């Protein structure tokens, strides 16, 4: 008792090349995968590195804006340079009992320069951090005006 119909056997016996993949086709598919997979994995690693870099630049930019806002709040700043880290509480916040570094690895520098106008000063804020052994920085600047003296 043969369970396979004779029409099925005749059809497949006449076309033996349709029965599966050849060795050459399998080898080509494996070669394509061998080339594509390392490239795709490398792109994933690069994507993670770019994400970390973007996070650091965003953090540095926000910290620089905070320091620039702090300079504007404190009034007309004296000409000179100041440096520090982010272990202090920014102005406007209630003093905390325990102060911890809000942005470990980041440092700031504020440079106040005179301008041709006596009532205007240029304030430059630069935030530094180390990324893979090299130092990176973000710098922003603004002008601060001296409030006019009020007459009584």
């Amino acid at each position: 008792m043969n369970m396979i119909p004779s029409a099925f056997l005749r059809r497949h016996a006449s076309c033996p090349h349709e029965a599966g993949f050849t060795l050459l086709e399998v080898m080509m598919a494996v070669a394509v995968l061998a080339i594509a997979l390392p490239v795709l994995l490398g792109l994933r690693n690069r994507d993670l590195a770019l994400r970390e870099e973007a996070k650091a630049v965003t953090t540095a930019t926000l910290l620089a804006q905070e320091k620039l806002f702090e300079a504007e709040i404190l009034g007309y700043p004296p000409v000179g340079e100041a440096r520090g880290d982010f272990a202090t509480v920014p102005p406007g916040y209630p003093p905390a009992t325990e102060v911890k570094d809000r942005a470990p690895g980041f440092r700031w520098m504020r440079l106040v320069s005179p301008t041709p106008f006596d009532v205007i000063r240029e304030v430059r804020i630069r935030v530094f951090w180390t990324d893979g052994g090299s130092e990176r920085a973000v710098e922003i600047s603004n002008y601060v005006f001296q409030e006019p003296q009020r007459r009584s």
Side-chain angles (χ1 to χ4, degrees), residues 2 4 17 19 27 39 45 48 53 65 74 121 124-125:
N2 191 355
I4 302 173
H17 64 278
M27 288 175 58
V39 170
N45 291 341
L48 292 174
E53 182 180 347
Q65 287 177 341
L74 295 176
R121 299 237 168 110
R124 290 181 178 267
I125 305 290

Side-chain angles (χ1 to χ4, degrees), residues 51-64:
R51 182 174 181 263
E52 288 301 315
E53 182 180 347
K55 181 179 176 183
V57 169
T58 301
T59 301
T61 302
L62 292 173
L63 291 169

Side-chain angles (χ1 to χ4, degrees), residues 2-149:
N2 191 355
M3 301 291 280
I4 302 173
S6 61
F8 179 80
L9 289 174
R10 271 183 277 145
R11 186 177 67 196
H12 286 289
S14 64
C15 301
H17 64 278
E18 293 182 11
F21 296 106
T22 66
L23 180 60
L24 181 62
E25 291 170 331
V26 171
M27 288 175 58
M28 291 300 290
V30 170
V32 168
L33 283 175
I35 293 170
L37 285 179
V39 170
L40 293 175
L41 290 174
L43 289 176
R44 175 67 178 147
N45 291 341
R46 179 71 179 141
D47 179 49
L48 292 174
L50 288 174
R51 182 174 181 263
E52 288 301 315
E53 182 180 347
K55 181 179 176 183
V57 169
T58 301
T59 301
T61 302
L62 292 173
L63 291 169
Q65 287 177 341
E66 175 189 300
K67 282 296 177 186
L68 189 60
F69 182 66
E70 179 182 311
E72 291 173 0
I73 285 178
L74 295 176
Y76 194 63
V79 173
E81 184 178 303
R83 295 175 180 262
D85 56 15
F86 293 93
T88 58
V89 178
Y93 283 84
T97 54
E98 180 182 332
V99 177
K100 64 177 186 173
D101 195 356
R102 296 178 293 121
F106 290 88
R107 301 173 325 280
W108 60 269
M109 179 185 76
R110 181 183 67 219
L111 180 63
V112 179
S113 305
T115 64
F117 304 101
D118 292 336
V119 295
I120 302 173
R121 299 237 168 110
E122 180 183 20
V123 179
R124 290 181 178 267
I125 305 290
R126 179 176 275 201
V127 175
F128 304 92
W129 73 98
T130 303
D131 182 22
S134 64
E135 188 168 84
R136 305 280 315 266
V138 167
E139 183 176 305
I140 60 174
S141 65
N142 201 4
Y143 293 94
V144 177
F145 297 86
Q146 185 177 23
E147 292 291 325
Q149 301 287 331

